Structure formats: C-alpha cells, structure tokens
Amino acid sequence: MTLASKLAEERRARLAAERLLELKQAELFAANRKLGKHAEKLSNEIVETRAEVNSVRTENQKVKSDLQVANEKIEIAERRLWLSIEAIQDGFAFFDADNRMIAANPSYLSVFDGLEEVTQGITYARLLQLLTDEGIVHIGDVASADWRKAMLDRWHRPTPPPVVLQLWNGQYIKLIDQRGHGGDIVSLAHNITDTVRYEAKLKKEQKRAEAASRAKSAFLANMSHEIRTPMNGVVGMADLLLDTGLSEEQRLFASTIKNSGEALLSIINDVLDYSKIEAEKLALRPEPFDLERCIHEVMTLLQPSAREKGVTLIVDYDLFLPTLFVGDPGRIRQVLTNLIGNAVKFTSSGHVMVRVVGEPHESTGKCEVHIAVEDTGIGIPEDKIGHIFGEFNQVEDDRNRAFEGTGLGLAITNRLINLMHGTIWVDSVEGKGSTFGFQLTLPVEEDLSLSPPALPDSVRKILVVDDRAINRSLLEKQMEQMGASVVVCASGREALENLKDIDLILTDYGMPDMDGLELTEALRAQGSDVPVVLLSSDPAVVQGDPSLGQSQGLLKKPVSRRDLFHKIAEATRVQDVLPVKDKIHSVVDASTLRQMRILAAEDNKTNQLVLGKLLKNLNIELRFANNGFEAVEAYSDMRPDLIFMDISMPKMDGKEATRRIRALENGTTVPIVALTAHAVDGDEEGILSAGLDHYLTKPLRKGAIMDMISRHQPKIAQNPFPPTDLKQSGT
Ligand code: ADP
C-alpha cells in the first residue's frame, strides 16, 4: 500500500469518524433537547402539584376549624340543654334500653334525696324498690310488691300511660314516660300538686254551687206555691166578679185585676221553668198525643187576641202527615204557645200561619216533624237575630217597647227543643215578618200503613169562598190534594156566579158586602141546595143566627183536618144537621142516661167557689168534700165518675185519701185528678205514685178542667156539656 493510499484511507477513516462524531453529536443534541423538554414538563407538574397540595391544606385547615366551631356549638347547646333541664321544676331523666338511668336532673333526684345509689346506672326496678322501701310514695292499701309490679308492667309497655303518684309530703307527681328510638326512655315527672289542689277546690265550690242551686230551686218551688195559691184566689174571684152585675168602670177594674194576675202567673211560670231547665231538673214526660189538636188548642187560646187585631190564624197541617205522636205534649204545647204567642204579639195585621210537614219512616216508626210559625209582623233587625234566643233578650227599639214580655220565652223554647233533641231556627225580615221553625223527631203512634183521609165520592168539585187570599189558597191546596177540583172566589157575589157543577161550598163567614150566611140565604133563595159549610174564627157570633139552619155546618177556624173531613162527610150526607151535635147523644136517648158524677175534694172555700163556678154550667152532679176523710166517705156513697183531689188538705191529705179510695175500689178504677199549688216535678212524681191519674196545677184553668171531664165522660152518662157550648174547652 502506498503512502498516498494509506493517507487516503486514513483520511477516509477520519472523515468517517468525523461524520460519525457529527451524527452522534446530533443525536446527543436531540436527546438533550428532549431531556430539556421533559425536565420542563416535570417542573411544571411539580409546580401544579404543589399548588394543589397547598389548596388541600387550606381546605383541611378550614374543615378543622369548622369542626372545632361545631364542636363548640354542640358543647354549648348540650350545656344549655342540661342547664335548662336542671333548671326546670319538673323531674326529668333518661334511661337506656336496659332500663338503666343515663342521666337525671336535680328535681328528679331530689325525691331520692340522701340515697347515694341513685345515680347514673341505677335500674328503674331498683328506683321503684326504693320508692316503696323508703316510703317515698304513698301507695294506699296496695301491697308494695303489687304496686311495683304494676308500675314495672306499665314501664314496659310500648307507650306507658301517664300515672299520678302521691308522695309522702302530700305532693302529686304525674309520670309521663316516652319510649324513643333504640329503646331509650325519657321520663318526665310533672308536679301537679297545684292542679290537684285547685281541682279539689273547684269540686268543693261546685258542690257548694249545686247546694245553692238546690236551695234556689226549693225557694222557687216554695215561692211558686206561695204565690200561686193566693193568685188562684185573686184570678178566680176576679173572674167571678166579672160575672156579676158591674158598672162599666167596675168591670174594667175587675178585668184589670184578672189580667194582671194572669200576667204575673205567666211570669212566675217562665222564671220557674227557666230555673228548672238551668238546674237540669226538667224531665220530659213522653206520652201519646195529638200534635194537630195541640196546635189547634194553642190557636184557640190565641184566637181572641188575634181576632181583636184582625190577624188571621191559619194552620196548614200536611194532609198526609200522621197526627198522633209520642212526645211531651205539655212541653211541645209550651214551645208552640211561645212561638205562636210571639207571632200574634208582634203582628198587627195580616196572618200567622203554622205549617206542619214531615217525613214518616215506616222502618223506624219515627217521623221528622217540621213546624214553622210564620207571621207578617214587625220582623227582627238582622243584627238582633243572633241575640233573641238568649235570656232576658228583647229587641230594644221603639216599636218593640210597646210589647210586654220577660224576654225568657225564646230562651226557654230553645232549651226545651234542645232537650227534645230538636233544632230551632229563625228567618226574619224587618218590617215584613218572621218565621220561627223547629224540627223534632218523634215516634209515630198511629198505623203508618193506613190510608190517609178521603173525601166522599159525591164530592168532586168544591167552591171555596174567602175574601182572604191566603185562606183561599190553603183550602184550595188541601182540597186539590184530596183529589177534588176547586173553584175559588173572593166574595159571595162571585160565588153566586160560579155554581156550575159544584158539589160543596166551603165559605168564610166574615166577608165584606156579603157574609157567609147571606151567601147561603141567597143560594137557597135561588133554589140551590148545594151543601154549604161555613168557617168562622168566632163561631159564637154565627151560632145564634136563625139562618144558620140553611147551611150544613159551621166550623171554627183554623180548622183541623179531622173536623173538616168529618164535617164535609156529614154535610154531604145529611142536609139538616145541626151545627154542633154530640155524637153519642145523637144516637142514644138522653132521657135514659144519668148525669156524670164528679167529686171535688178541696178544703179551701175560695177554691171551692172557683171550682164550683167553673163547673156551674155543666150538666153534672157535683159534690164537694172538705178533706180526705170526707172524700173517702163521699166516694163510697156516690161512686163518682171522676174525682178532683186537692193534695194538701187538713186531717187527711189527697194522697192518703186516694190510697184509701183505691183500696175500696172493686173492679172499676175511678180517674182521680190531683189539684195542687206545687209546681215542682218531684211533687208530681210523688203524687202520681200515690195512685192519682193526672195532675193539674193551680190556678185552675177552665180548659184543663173541661179536658179532664171530656176525657173521662162515661158512655152511660148524659153529655156534661150543654149543646149550646160549641167548644167544650174554654180558655
Ligand atoms: P218576650 O216575648 O217575652 O219579650 P221572647 O224570648 O219570647 O221574649 O222574645 C225575645 C224577643 O225576640 C222579643 O222581645 C222580640 O223582640 C223578639 N221576637 C220574638 N218573636 C218575634 C216575632 N215573631 N216577631 C218579631 N220579633 C220577635
């Protein structure tokens, strides 16, 4: 190899080495650059991580401080809770599911004062043991073990009922225990000593008040007796005086005495009733009664004052509603008298209408009866309606001041209806009128499956004549309900022009221009023989008129359904029936009958005089006995059909006399009616249990006396009521 080639080779080799070096340098450079980038990335990441670590550290610190605050708050709350629990007067303790005490406040622990073992961890059973062993609790006659067992049984119940313990020091503790989640029990020992003492005091007060109320009732009963007896004399004698020959002035004086006496008695009755209801002494006496008759009797009583003012009284008793119910007729009559009486009192023109509707339920045998008393009177201002049922409440205004009253009527009415489980309502427009309504559910005393009353077949078309539209429309409605076709006319003249095919005329008596009798005369004069039945609110006026004979009957308004149907049947059957005729005496020859025998036992001469006067016009044999002995004697001698028996008589009282009469009776029982000045219920029971059948309070009312006579009138005796007396019962 030449030098040159060697040099060339070396050069090549050097060049190659230089290239390799260059290459390696480039690689190294690239690697260095990559390393640089990686290092930069790493350093970036380190910076980020450090920031994160910082933020987590701050957060951690915040959470830590929050936790600390929360812990402090919990501590404060717990401290406060305990402070409160410790401060409360009542005992408070917690028990765990094993019935061990977790904690208790000083009040709770104070009961166990001095017993060191009563602390955290003590069981409830041990506490009970200590309560009895240490005599902390007063357990009466119960054996300690029994008492503890009962208390422990109670404790284990899911919701232990509260229990009251009496402690040795006279304090009363009510234990209220409540089971929480996880079986813990919270126990509250509530000191109720004050409440128990207050209750005892109240009971004592109540007893005292009841005693006072009894004393008040007794006082009222006595007072009523003391006032009623002389009032009987005053009212009765004034009544007698009015029947004697008096000058106009004397008559005025006597009737004022009578009216004032009656007003006083009605006030006494109101006050007495009210206090009886207040003292819950008023007992209802349900018995079968005729509601429709009861309403008509009340209407009859009020008719004179209504007539005086020209106010029409109307009864719209649903034709298909039963009339016999079981209820306390006396109290229902009192409610009706109050409501209808008020309606008449506060109405100066127009009408007072009593509507009775109801719904009998055959399944229960009861009927919901709705009675509404509607008037066209002064009405009640809207803002006063809410007050009128309160006691002594009257609507105070100029118009009302003209009316007398105690303001007790509606309060009594309201309470009576509540007592009968009914409801009362009122609807009124000032200046237009009022409607008072009440609802009672009463057992029905008649067969509900019986068919309602019907008109005779011959009566198909009826002419109703009345100048008052309300009367016309009521009769029209009733007759149409019965299946008749009805023509209504407002005057006699109009009636005379509408006679075509008429089978019956029902006409009002008192009409302007042509009255009912004149209409009848005109009919007969023109040859019509269509039966005419007259209706009058004051039949006594019509009765004496000879032309009444031309009509077929006279009815007293408001007319009851029974009377109306009876009269229509009679009028369309017989042409010349007298206006009023007693049924029995129309079929039995009166001459073969004896008089009804009545014995009246009454020691007081004034009362004898009053009774004698009341019965004077009756067709009866009347004998007086001055005491019980005489009454028994007279009974044996006379065998009366009815006895009126005064209760308080010297020598032998009415109860004893009745017992003796009952012992003498053989087979037939004589009805005996007690007459008494006592007005308290207890009396009534005593009297009825002595064997008397009925009970009447003095002063005696003619209506009540007549009612008794009418009820017990024997078939074998003559009619006690003279035929001229249209209505058997007076006022
Ligand atoms: P009294 O009638 O004895 O005043 P009530 O208790 O019966 O007492 O009635 C209370 C009041 O209610 C009456 O004084 C009267 O103001 C009012 N009132 C009762 N019924 C009616 C009526 N039908 N029309 C107008 N006001 C009446």
Side-chain angles (χ1 to χ4, degrees), residues 593-599 618-623 638-644 671 706 708-714 716-721:
L593 302 172
R594 63 167 174 80
Q595 281 183 314
M596 181 179 179
R597 293 191 288 252
I598 297 179
L599 171 64
L618 298 192
N619 176 26
I620 53 166
E621 181 189 339
L622 174 66
R623 192 189 290 189
M638 178 193 193
R639 291 285 160 177
D641 300 310
L642 175 65
I643 303 179
F644 289 109
M706 297 302 150
M708 286 297 160
I709 296 175
S710 153
R711 272 206 232 177
H712 297 292
Q713 164 188 352
I716 50 156
Q718 291 168 19
N719 181 15
F721 304 100

Side-chain angles (χ1 to χ4, degrees), residues 465-467 491-492 495-496 505-524 532-536 542 545 547-548 550-551 553-554:
V465 194
D466 201 310
D467 56 322
S491 72
L496 289 170
I505 299 178
L506 297 176
T507 177
D508 181 30
Y509 165 73
M511 293 183 291
D513 301 332
M514 181 187 276
D515 68 30
L517 277 181
E518 287 165 345
L519 168 63
T520 315
E521 277 170 7
L523 276 168
R524 301 297 176 241
V532 177
V533 173
L534 290 151
L535 295 107
S536 166
V542 196
D545 200 307
S547 35
L548 184 61
Q550 297 191 21
S551 77
L554 172 63

Side-chain angles (χ1 to χ4, degrees), residues 635 639-643 661-662 665 668-672 691 693:
Y635 166 76
R639 291 285 160 177
D641 300 310
L642 175 65
I643 303 179
I661 289 173
R662 293 284 178 240
E665 280 172 348
T668 47
T669 315
V670 58
I672 307 183
D693 301 286

Side-chain angles (χ1 to χ4, degrees), residues 270 338-347 373-375 377-381 384 387-397 400 403-413 426 428 433-436:
D270 268 6
N338 277 342
L339 296 183
I340 307 174
N342 274 350
V344 171
K345 181 160 82 171
F346 295 107
T347 304
V373 180
E374 173 192 302
D375 67 52
I378 61 171
I380 303 161
K384 298 284 180 357
H387 305 296
I388 54 168
F389 289 111
E391 47 277 8
F392 305 108
N393 281 353
Q394 296 175 306
V395 175
E396 271 298 324
D397 66 21
N400 207 46
F403 303 101
E404 287 176 355
T406 54
L408 273 177
L410 286 179
I412 294 172
T413 300
V426 57
S428 186
S434 316
T435 304
F436 283 80

Side-chain angles (χ1 to χ4, degrees), residues 264-553:
L264 179 59
L265 278 168
S266 122
I267 295 172
I268 291 171
N269 286 344
D270 268 6
V271 172
L272 192 67
D273 267 347
Y274 188 74
S275 30
K276 271 202 276 182
I277 298 174
E278 275 299 270
E280 290 174 3
K281 285 274 157 53
L282 195 131
L284 294 175
R285 303 183 182 289
E287 60 178 82
F289 77 107
D290 186 327
L291 176 65
E292 191 187 11
R293 194 166 129 194
C294 190
I295 294 171
H296 279 276
E297 281 167 359
V298 174
M299 288 298 220
T300 303
L301 279 176
L302 295 164
Q303 186 66 272
S305 40
R307 201 167 41 225
E308 220 167 77
K309 300 198 270 186
V311 171
T312 314
L313 298 186
I314 305 159
V315 179
D316 181 3
Y317 195 105
D318 184 348
L319 283 178
F320 304 106
L321 185 70
T323 64
L324 295 182
F325 296 99
V326 177
D328 185 330
R331 296 300 168 189
I332 291 175
R333 184 194 304 255
Q334 190 175 2
V335 165
L336 288 166
T337 309
N338 277 342
L339 296 183
I340 307 174
N342 274 350
V344 171
K345 181 160 82 171
F346 295 107
T347 304
S348 55
S349 64
H351 69 261
V352 169
M353 160 131 78
V354 180
R355 278 183 208 277
V356 189
V357 290
E359 204 185 330
H361 299 284
E362 249 180 88
S363 56
T364 58
K366 290 189 174 177
C367 181
E368 201 179 294
V369 185
H370 295 254
I371 302 179
V373 180
E374 173 192 302
D375 67 52
T376 53
I378 61 171
I380 303 161
E382 213 179 322
D383 58 327
K384 298 284 180 357
I385 286 188
H387 305 296
I388 54 168
F389 289 111
E391 47 277 8
F392 305 108
N393 281 353
Q394 296 175 306
V395 175
E396 271 298 324
D397 66 21
D398 291 343
R399 288 175 311 159
N400 207 46
R401 217 154 283 150
F403 303 101
E404 287 176 355
T406 54
L408 273 177
L410 286 179
I412 294 172
T413 300
N414 186 18
R415 275 153 206 255
L416 284 177
I417 289 173
N418 286 339
L419 209 63
M420 296 187 241
H421 306 292
T423 44
I424 184 164
W425 53 268
V426 57
D427 187 13
S428 186
V429 178
E430 199 179 357
K432 288 250 158 51
S434 316
T435 304
F436 283 80
F438 64 99
Q439 169 268 317
L440 295 175
T441 302
L442 301 172
V444 181
E445 185 62 14
E446 59 194 78
D447 191 348
L448 285 174
S449 57
L450 288 182
S451 43
L455 288 173
D457 290 342
S458 61
V459 181
R460 283 179 302 270
K461 194 168 177 190
I462 300 178
L463 178 62
V464 169
V465 194
D466 201 310
D467 56 322
R468 296 201 190 224
I470 185 120
N471 287 334
R472 282 198 303 272
S473 57
L474 176 64
L475 271 177
E476 181 184 17
K477 182 186 87 179
Q478 289 185 330
M479 292 300 108
E480 278 181 352
Q481 278 180 338
M482 301 308 299
S485 78
V486 182
V487 179
V488 289
C489 293
S491 72
R493 296 215 180 285
E494 202 185 325
L496 289 170
E497 286 159 18
N498 286 283
L499 292 170
K500 194 164 177 311
D501 300 331
I502 295 294
D503 303 313
L504 170 74
I505 299 178
L506 297 176
T507 177
D508 181 30
Y509 165 73
M511 293 183 291
D513 301 332
M514 181 187 276
D515 68 30
L517 277 181
E518 287 165 345
L519 168 63
T520 315
E521 277 170 7
L523 276 168
R524 301 297 176 241
Q526 64 183 53
S528 163
D529 62 355
V530 58
V532 177
V533 173
L534 290 151
L535 295 107
S536 166
S537 59
D538 192 6
V541 174
V542 196
Q543 256 186 311
D545 200 307
S547 35
L548 184 61
Q550 297 191 21
S551 77
Q552 276 60 50

